[in-house]
Amino acid sequence: MRLWIGLSLPQLALEIFSPNWCNDPGSVVLEQDRVLAVSPLARAAGVGRGMRRGGVLMLMPEARLYERNPAREAEALDAVALAMLQFTPQVALLEEATLLLDIGASLRLFGGIRALCARVRASMRALGFSASVSCAPTARAAWLLARAGANAMAHGSGQGGRRVLGRSLRMASLERRLERLPVALLPPARPYMSWFEGIGCEALGQLRRLPRPGLQRRCGRELLDMLDAAYGMSPELFEWIAPPEHFRARLELFDRIEQADLLLAGAHHLVLQLVGWLCARQLAVERFTLLMEHERGRVAMPPTPLEIVLAEPAWRDEHLVRLLKERLARQELPGPVIGLGLEARQVRAMAPPTESLFPEPGGTEEDRMRMLELLVARLGPENVLQALPQADYRPEVANEWVPVQQKTERTAAAAARLPPIVTSLPRPSWLLAKPIALLMRNHRPFYGSPLMVASTPERIEAGWWSEAQTRDYFIAEGQDHTLYWIYRERIVGAGEDAEPRWYLHGLFG
């Protein structure tokens, strides 16, 4: 089924300066000295579209005034389009700050149209933009419904940036919705609006009933083509957004930020773009860097980097944002931050889904690695360690503890240099840092209770080049059925009457 989502950003001119996740100080955007966009707080103070600068300052002297910046608006639209690539590879950017998403092939992946629209709205809120979201079987109809919702939001009748004016999945219901839309939504009709009002033609349903030859002679062919495309009577062609070869994004902050944890909203904005880029190129990120830019000019200082290294490649924004949240909570800033940058330093192809019929108990390997990465971000890499086996027979040096994020290619190499029979021998869960000398009672080693040897000996003779060891290891059992790993130290060159010395070296879990 062909289905389209339309996204229209009615407050784009304002929200590039004051995103909807920041505190509203009463912002106003001017174009040619007249109000183009106002924040809710400024609207509540009486500021309206078309008002002059002097009137704004009279009603709200503390208002923040900005001049419209079309270049930043275009950059913001590109950022939104890049973020939307996580839902579909077919994203088109149309006129009047509106995007179209062909999501017919994505419905099952995201759990249906309702769940997908909710995900899109959540992403738009995280990006910092208010959006009118619509859904229709044709692209131009989705565009019209989104623009109608955007007009309602621009005049203060939207629903907090979550306005969904039309969600029509079938052509019959779509036609009923289109019939009631105003003619002025069609860009080719706007130069002739005085004529349409004169003949009483205000809605698209009335426009369709006019004679087509006369309408074409007066208004041109473009108006009829757009109308036919909305009703599914003509084909639609679009130029899809193409993701760049390498990912690098930047965000100018709305204010100077002096606390690192307050940067999370801006970082989330950049992460959503990264996720869209990764999904479009079928990649997963292994290492990325958040650059925190400081003041420029005389007091300029280099950006503060925050590097995130993942144990397993990822491409989901929830996990990446959680890692950034933990790291930013521990980050100290050398000065106020005025901008953020995000760079993907190391990526690799997405791993295919598991071929196992049944899921692993207790979660997947990816879930476990995400938990470890979260612990590293919260506790620091020096406090989360993993075992790195060494090619040595001596238990004290047969393992090394390294940070969990350190790559362990050496593990396989070390294991390959040991005979398979050695790696298959039982080893205790806990190895004592220093062996404990055991008492002897009735010619048996004693540790809380007499220990009974429960295995044949394993002789370890190694370390002649540094610290020689000659030991016979046993598994011993106490009266409480706890299993211990003990050894008897052979005294080389001692007489037959020499009493062997026993030591406790490990405990089995």
Side-chain angles (χ1 to χ4, degrees):
M1 179 177 69
R2 200 73 183 270
L3 202 59
W4 298 79
I5 284 181
L7 285 176
S8 186
L9 284 65
Q11 294 287 82
L12 179 65
L14 173 70
E15 289 169 342
I16 59 172
F17 302 106
S18 178
N20 60 12
W21 36 256
C22 73
N23 294 326
D24 178 17
S27 303
V28 178
V29 177
L30 303 174
E31 185 178 31
Q32 297 180 355
D33 215 38
R34 288 186 178 274
V35 174
L36 176 67
V38 297
S39 66
L41 190 61
R43 185 181 293 111
V47 179
R49 299 186 67 178
M51 187 177 293
R52 290 189 176 274
R53 181 191 300 265
V56 174
L57 295 176
M58 183 177 62
L59 292 173
M60 196 176 188
E62 70 279 9
R64 289 188 177 182
L65 303 181
Y66 301 96
E67 289 294 333
R68 187 180 186 185
N69 192 331
R72 285 186 63 176
E73 292 177 25
E75 292 176 2
L77 284 174
D78 291 339
V80 173
L82 191 59
M84 292 301 108
L85 289 174
Q86 63 182 297
F87 304 113
T88 172
Q90 296 180 322
V91 177
L93 183 59
L94 270 68
E95 64 272 12
E96 299 183 3
T98 304
L99 292 90
L100 290 176
L101 286 66
D102 185 355
I103 47 90
S106 305
L107 294 180
R108 291 185 61 186
L109 178 62
F110 292 97
I113 186 60
R114 289 181 181 272
L116 182 53
C117 286
R119 291 279 300 270
V120 169
R121 289 197 300 270
S123 295
M124 293 301 299
R125 286 195 300 271
L127 287 167
F129 299 113
S130 305
S132 169
V133 183
S134 66
C135 184
T138 67
R140 185 53 68 174
W143 185 91
L144 287 169
L145 293 174
R147 288 301 305 154
N151 289 344
M153 291 172 60
H155 291 87
S157 58
Q159 301 173 6
R162 299 181 58 185
R163 174 92 175 175
V164 182
L165 187 70
R167 186 186 291 149
S168 299
L169 306 184
R170 300 183 181 278
M171 285 302 302
S173 61
L174 174 63
E175 291 182 4
R176 290 193 296 269
R177 288 184 181 272
L178 292 178
E179 296 289 310
R180 300 191 295 267
L181 294 182
V183 175
L185 286 177
L186 296 173
R190 291 170 192 167
Y192 310 98
M193 284 308 300
S194 59
W195 178 71
F196 284 121
E197 293 171 359
I199 63 175
C201 179
E202 298 179 353
L204 295 186
Q206 298 169 331
L207 180 64
R208 291 189 71 197
R209 289 191 287 271
L210 294 178
R212 290 176 64 91
L215 188 61
Q216 179 176 345
R217 285 194 301 271
R218 178 175 289 272
C219 302
R221 182 66 193 178
E222 186 180 1
L223 176 61
L224 292 178
D225 290 342
M226 189 171 293
L227 192 63
D228 292 343
Y231 283 88
M233 300 172 60
S234 64
E236 300 173 289
L237 299 177
F238 299 100
E239 183 177 352
W240 307 119
I241 297 294
E245 289 290 330
H246 305 283
F247 180 82
R248 181 180 289 109
R250 187 182 176 279
L251 176 65
E252 190 83 20
L253 295 181
F254 61 92
D255 205 348
R256 289 171 173 80
I257 306 298
E258 298 182 355
Q259 297 179 355
D261 55 346
L262 299 180
L263 299 172
L264 184 62
H268 196 177
H269 174 103
L270 298 174
V271 166
L272 285 173
Q273 297 181 56
L274 172 62
V275 169
W277 179 81
L278 291 171
C279 291
R281 300 192 65 86
Q282 294 293 294
L283 296 173
V285 65
E286 293 181 313
R287 184 191 301 262
F288 65 95
T289 302
L290 180 69
L291 297 173
M292 293 166 279
E293 302 174 2
H294 304 290
E295 297 281 355
R296 306 182 183 93
R298 287 187 176 181
V299 293
M301 61 178 64
T304 301
L306 180 61
E307 189 172 37
I308 304 293
V309 181
L310 291 91
E312 286 292 323
W315 61 89
R316 301 298 184 193
D317 62 307
E318 299 91 347
H319 182 53
L320 301 180
V321 171
R322 287 184 68 187
L323 293 177
L324 281 172
K325 181 179 180 181
E326 296 293 339
R327 291 291 300 275
L328 287 172
R330 300 167 45 231
Q331 180 72 31
E332 293 185 3
L333 298 178
V337 178
I338 63 173
L340 293 175
L342 191 69
E343 298 181 11
R345 296 295 181 88
Q346 187 174 341
V347 296
R348 59 181 296 182
M350 279 186 183
T354 177
E355 298 179 356
S356 175
L357 178 61
F358 300 103
E360 297 182 21
T364 64
E365 180 65 23
E366 182 181 357
D367 295 331
R368 289 190 286 272
M369 295 309 300
R370 287 182 179 180
M371 180 194 68
L372 290 176
E373 290 168 354
L374 188 59
L375 289 175
V376 170
R378 181 171 299 177
L379 304 176
E382 68 280 359
N383 296 318
V384 184
L385 306 177
Q386 66 177 352
L388 181 61
Q390 304 296 313
D392 200 297
Y393 293 98
R394 294 169 293 175
E396 293 89 345
V397 294
N399 178 59
E400 178 185 353
W401 291 98
V402 297
V404 71
Q405 291 182 333
Q406 180 174 326
K407 297 300 181 183
T408 57
E409 289 83 0
R410 291 158 50 196
T411 304
R417 291 196 295 268
L418 289 173
I421 189 173
V422 175
T423 58
S424 64
L425 291 173
R427 287 294 182 265
S429 304
W430 301 98
L431 191 68
L432 302 182
K434 184 178 181 180
I436 299 176
L438 297 177
L439 299 175
M440 299 297 295
R441 292 186 180 179
N442 298 325
H443 305 285
R444 294 174 63 182
F446 185 91
Y447 186 74
S449 65
L451 302 182
M452 182 179 65
V453 175
S455 71
T456 56
E458 175 194 348
R459 178 162 295 177
I460 297 179
E461 291 184 352
W464 57 266
W465 56 91
S466 59
E467 186 178 342
Q469 291 182 1
T470 307
R471 300 171 179 175
D472 291 332
Y473 278 86
F474 300 86
I475 298 176
E477 183 178 359
Q479 289 184 350
D480 59 353
H481 304 293
T482 302
L483 297 180
Y484 302 93
W485 204 42
I486 65 175
Y487 69 85
R488 181 178 59 192
E489 192 173 56
R490 295 177 61 225
I491 305 175
V492 180
E496 296 181 358
D497 297 333
E499 185 74 18
R501 290 177 293 180
W502 291 85
Y503 295 86
L504 171 63
H505 205 177
L507 291 82
F508 289 89

